[in-house]
Structure formats: C-alpha cells, structure tokens
Amino acid sequence: MRGRSHVPFGAPPHQRLRRMPRRPRRIAMLSVHTSPLHQPGTGDAGGMNVYIVELARRLAAIDIEVEIFTRATTARLPPSVELAPGVLVRHVDAGPYEGLAKEDLPAQLCAFTHGVMQAWAGHRPGHYDLVHSHYWLSGHVGWLAAERWGVPLVHAMHTMAKVKNAALAAGDTPEPAARVIGEQQIVRAADRLIANTAEEAEELVRHYGAARELVAVVHPGVNLDRFRPADGRAAARARLGLPADALIPLFAGRIQPLKAPDILLHAIAHLLEEDPSLRERMVVPVVGGPSGSGLAKPEGLHKLAARLGICDVIRFRPPCAQDELADWYRAASVLVMPSYSESFGLVAIEAQACGTPVVAASVGGLPVAVRDGVSGTLIDGHDPADYARALRPFVREPGRADRMGAAAARHAQSFGWDTAAAATAEVYTEAMRERRRLRSGHG
C-alpha cells in the first residue's frame, strides 16, 4: 500500500519522537459474536470477519502471534484451530451452539469471559501482551481480561449504536440502550481506540466523549492477491454463466434493511419503466443471505421483486467463498451499495480492486473507500430515483464500466492489509508504551 494507513488523531508530535518500545509478541483478539471461520455474508458474518482474518494473518507475518477467541457455535469444531501460521482460533463454550441471536449474547458474556480466563490460566504469566477486542460485546470481555492480566486494551467498534440509530432504514429495529451504555463504558476503559476513518474518530469523540489522543485511524485493507482484475469481465461472466454483453449492477452483502438492497430493486424498476428494452440486456445479481433484522422476513426481498415486476432480471444467489465473490465483482458492470450506515465498506474496496466501479451512499467510510467521480459515484440520501440516475450512464455508455473500472483498480491499490497491520502494530506499541509510562510513575 502506498497511502498512509494510520493517521494520528491528536497525539502530540513530541510523543512520536520518543524511542518506541518493542512490539507485542502475542495478543489476544476477541470476537464474541462472529467467528473468523464463518462464511462472510451469512448470519452476522460480514466485513468484520474479513477484517479480523486478514489483520491477524498480516500481524502474524510481522511476528505478532494472534489468538482469536470466539463463541463456539457447533460441537463439531475442536477447541482450537490454526487459521494460519501464528494465528490460532479458540472456540469458547458460552450458551447453546445454535439458535442464540446476537441480541441474547450479553447474557452469555460471563460464560465467555470464564472460557477466556480458563485458556489464560493454562499459560505462564505474561503470555498475552495486549488485548484487541472487536465490537462492543467483545469489548466488555476485553475490559475485564486486560485488567486481570495487567495489559492494554485496544478496541475497535466497527459499528456504533448511536450512529446506526441516527440513520435507521424504514422499519429497522433501533439498537438498545444497553448497547449504548456498554459502548460508553468501553470507550472509557480502552487504552486505545481504532477507527476506520477520520469521520468515525470524530463520532467517537462527539457521541461517546472519547479522548482525541487515544483514537487512531487505521484504514482497513483489501486482499490484493485475491481481489484483482485477473482475466477480466468477459471471462468472469463466462464462469458464472452470465451474458457477455449485459448491463450487470451487482449487490453483494448481507440481506438486511441496513444494507438497503431494496433501494437497488426500486432503482432497477425505475430504469425498466423508462426503458422496457433493458429487460433483454440486464441482469441484477443479489449475492448474500439474510442477516440481522432481515432474518425476520427472509423472503422479503423476493416478494419485493415480485411486486415490482422485476423477477425476470433479478438473480438471487447465496453467500459464496471469497474466490467466487471476486468473480462476481469482476463480472459486474457496477457494484451498488445503498447502505444506511457503513463503518468503512470493505465490499466497495474489494469490488474496485477487481476493476469494478461503485455507486454508493455517501455514508460512513464510503467517501473514503470510493473516489467520487473517478472510481465511482457517491449519492446523498436513499431515493431510488437518484440511484437509477447514477446507473443510467452505464446504460448509455458501454465503455463506462471499463473506463471507471480501470480507475477503481488503481484507487484500490492504496488499500493494502500489510500497511494496515503495520499501522495497527504501531497502535499496540503506543498503548504498551503508555502503560509502561504509567506504571513507572511518570503519568
């Protein structure tokens, strides 16, 4: 990655000139509600899963061992699984394996914490140098573990209740007050907070009272070996059985109101009403599975397509492995992301890395992920007519997808996991340095 992935957020310059202590040797990474082994796009698995897997792999590559603790959801998996050299996934028994909704997990945090402590008790003192928790549920376990072990806590929110509640989709369920309170407690407890973008850092300060000097911005990366243009759009379409010359707007992600796939379907209905001939030369894949509040109405999107009279152009596909997902990106004329909230929008970067432009809502981290007017188009609001308007140029100009796609691939090169991991390691080092300074009585 050529761009700078870690941006200090208020750290005094003289602090950054001091001699840096050693990096951590081994960290405990916590992901209570979703396992890095789960298929992204199913249930609660999504961008955070990809984030944790890729970050852990790259940290191990720079000699920081990672042990990821996650809740066991099946008896078939062993207590620990090696995800990659230097990366171990530990399955913790906490509640029933199946049928436990994310909303019920706070009641299992005590059991999960007990499992983490049991694993730690089997090691010599000082086994973990630091705790890195992901999402607020993990933050509460990390808070206790870090205090018990006498090590720093680094926390990444990924999403925040106050931000989500301020931009709810119609009919979506607000995040509960318990989560808001829990997030505020974690912000006060953490030694460092990692935000995906400067905007997210500002939200932590504004909504949760985070200390500016404790917030660092680290842009997530993309696996540029997997997500790349490869052999091009035509070859990918042939592999997926898609027409070679069709207009293909793609939705990829979890099917839930937050991600707003319904906006795309309404936009497609607009386009077909204006130009019925498009039915013969347009395919709209929707790749993903129900998640979150979308689980309450798993067939809702299918029924909407039927009501809009567009079933003939929509192709619903289940979540797929990352290599196949890369082919869906390559095959598409454009990726459409009408989300109401995105902490960063890894899907947008992955698609661009494959040479596909993006039409996205101008929310959260998407203005960082997408270069408006160059690698894609950003839209204020969620009016389907605006998304239809942004898709029309792809109808009129057959070369637009290739032209903007080439710019998108160049733009995505500035987001690599190696630099993201190095920047995260720097945050770890700073947290350890501050902990040592306070212990020595210089605070």
Side-chain angles (χ1 to χ4, degrees):
M1 172 175 166
R2 289 184 285 275
R4 185 167 174 78
S5 182
H6 167 50
V7 184
F9 193 75
H14 69 275
Q15 287 188 4
R16 304 183 67 80
L17 297 177
R18 294 176 183 169
R19 184 173 177 272
M20 299 289 278
R22 64 169 176 81
R23 284 176 171 174
R25 297 160 301 178
R26 184 182 297 106
I27 67 165
M29 194 171 280
L30 307 180
S31 179
V32 171
H33 80 284
T34 180
S35 169
L37 302 179
H38 287 169
Q39 170 68 57
T42 60
D44 290 313
M48 193 179 94
N49 296 66
V50 176
Y51 182 108
I52 291 171
V53 169
E54 295 291 351
L55 177 62
R57 288 178 183 273
R58 297 316 198 281
L59 288 172
I62 55 175
D63 298 323
I64 299 175
E65 291 183 31
V66 181
E67 292 186 15
I68 305 171
F69 292 83
T70 191
R71 195 179 77 85
T73 55
T74 173
R76 293 189 298 272
L77 285 171
S80 61
V81 175
E82 186 182 56
L83 178 66
V87 181
L88 191 70
V89 177
R90 292 187 177 274
H91 296 110
V92 178
D93 287 328
Y97 291 132
E98 297 177 358
L100 194 66
K102 185 167 65 174
E103 292 73 24
D104 298 324
L105 285 178
Q108 299 301 324
L109 292 184
C110 181
F112 190 91
T113 303
H114 177 260
V116 172
M117 291 302 164
Q118 275 190 316
W120 169 74
H123 298 300
R124 289 165 40 184
H127 184 73
Y128 302 111
D129 292 317
L130 180 139
V131 177
H132 187 172
S133 53
H134 298 270
Y135 194 68
W136 77 278
L137 294 169
S138 303
H140 274 261
V141 180
W143 177 13
L144 192 150
E147 285 202 355
R148 179 69 181 86
W149 303 342
V151 300
L153 171 64
V154 174
H155 181 73
M157 287 287 195
H158 291 281
T159 62
M160 290 175 274
K162 289 186 178 182
V163 175
K164 289 181 73 173
N165 286 347
L168 281 178
D172 206 358
T173 307
E175 295 296 319
R179 176 178 173 182
V180 174
I181 295 167
E183 289 176 343
Q184 290 172 327
Q185 292 170 328
I186 295 162
V187 167
R188 288 195 296 268
D191 293 84
R192 287 291 187 278
L193 294 161
I194 290 181
N196 287 330
T197 63
E199 181 182 1
E200 185 183 341
E202 286 287 358
E203 289 166 344
L204 280 164
V205 173
R206 184 168 66 252
H207 294 307
Y208 293 90
R212 287 180 179 272
E213 67 273 12
L214 300 185
V215 184
V217 177
V218 179
H219 299 323
V222 63
N223 185 331
L224 295 170
D225 294 325
R226 171 178 289 129
F227 297 104
R228 54 192 176 86
D231 50 0
R233 184 168 288 113
R237 290 184 175 190
R239 285 191 290 271
L240 294 169
L242 296 169
D245 56 352
L247 172 68
I248 302 182
L250 167 71
F251 176 90
R254 289 174 287 159
I255 308 300
Q256 61 181 121
L258 177 74
K259 302 295 183 181
D262 58 303
I263 301 295
L264 172 59
L265 266 60
H266 281 286
I268 296 303
H270 274 280
L271 289 174
L272 292 176
E273 186 178 352
E274 294 168 358
D275 184 1
S277 70
L278 271 177
R279 288 186 186 274
E280 306 301 321
R281 51 193 176 95
M282 181 163 65
V283 175
V284 185
V286 176
V287 181
S291 174
S293 54
L295 290 168
K297 298 179 180 178
E299 300 300 319
L301 211 59
H302 293 72
K303 291 178 179 178
L304 175 61
R307 286 200 306 273
L308 294 173
I310 59 173
C311 289
D312 54 324
V313 300
I314 305 295
R315 292 193 186 179
F316 291 101
R317 293 291 182 267
C320 57
Q322 295 279 283
D323 287 338
E324 183 182 339
L325 180 61
D327 255 356
W328 282 107
Y329 291 142
R330 293 183 194 109
S333 309
V334 57
L335 174 82
V336 184
M337 282 189 78
S339 306
Y340 284 89
S341 178
E342 288 284 351
S343 61
F344 188 66
L346 280 177
V347 168
I349 293 293
E350 290 171 353
Q352 290 172 96
C354 291
T356 298
V358 177
V359 169
S362 185
V363 299
L366 286 170
V368 176
V370 179
R371 191 175 175 192
D372 191 25
V374 177
S375 69
T377 302
L378 294 171
I379 297 175
D380 293 323
H382 298 84
D383 186 341
D386 292 333
Y387 287 82
R389 194 173 300 115
L391 291 173
R392 278 190 207 111
F394 291 94
V395 177
R396 294 194 302 262
E397 306 167 34
R400 185 179 181 85
D402 290 336
R403 186 174 66 255
M404 292 193 80
R410 289 192 296 270
H411 173 64
Q413 291 298 311
S414 63
F415 297 91
W417 277 114
D418 289 338
T419 302
T424 302
E426 183 181 342
V427 176
Y428 294 164
T429 304
E430 290 171 350
M432 292 172 65
R433 174 180 63 191
E434 182 68 10
R435 177 62 65 108
R436 288 181 179 182
R437 186 179 70 83
L438 292 174
R439 279 179 177 168
S440 66
H442 295 136

